[in-house]
Amino acid sequence: MKYLLIFLVVLVIFIVSVTLGAHNDQIITFNYLLAQGQFRISTLLAGLFGAGFLLGWAICGLFWLRLRVSLAHAQRKLKRIQAQNEQSTAVTTSPSASRRD
């Protein structure tokens, strides 16, 4: 259900962008850092939107990857501490069991 809603939102955005792109075929001059170029406004908007979308996914992916690495490190540390805890409880309980015999 969640993926269906996401698909519908993306489809609506795509349809709206195609509709706006079809009606905006004016040529504009776009000055960027090193040079300038003449583009159709619909092509420029689509390109900049796509670049922003990819940049956003890349940044979110980097944060997600950093979080996953941190989680894996914390899980390894937790397992190590649990193993040490089990060893220390086994050492403390075994002498008392041998004293009873």
Side-chain angles (χ1 to χ4, degrees), residues 69 71-81:
V69 168
L71 179 63
H73 177 69
Q75 286 176 338
R76 281 194 308 268
K77 188 174 181 179
L78 179 64
K79 284 182 183 179
R80 189 178 333 119
I81 291 172

Side-chain angles (χ1 to χ4, degrees), residues 77-95:
K77 188 174 181 179
L78 179 64
K79 284 182 183 179
R80 189 178 333 119
I81 291 172
Q82 285 177 341
Q84 288 176 353
N85 189 21
E86 288 175 1
Q87 287 176 353
S88 67
T89 56
V91 168
T92 58
T93 57
S94 62

Side-chain angles (χ1 to χ4, degrees), residues 2-71:
K2 176 181 168 183
Y3 295 112
L4 179 65
L5 290 175
I6 292 171
F7 176 74
L8 288 176
V9 168
V10 170
L11 184 66
V12 167
I13 290 172
F14 180 74
I15 289 172
V16 168
S17 64
V18 167
T19 304
L20 289 175
H23 294 307
N24 289 323
D25 57 355
Q26 301 159 343
I27 302 290
I28 61 168
T29 301
F30 181 67
N31 295 321
Y32 43 96
L33 191 58
L34 299 175
Q36 72 179 13
Q38 294 203 353
F39 302 99
R40 286 185 19 209
I41 194 166
S42 59
T43 305
L44 184 63
L45 287 175
L48 292 176
F49 178 77
F53 185 77
L54 291 176
L55 183 65
W57 270 103
I59 291 171
C60 287
L62 289 175
F63 279 114
W64 179 81
L65 185 63
R66 188 176 74 173
L67 183 67
R68 294 296 297 176
V69 168
S70 175
L71 179 63

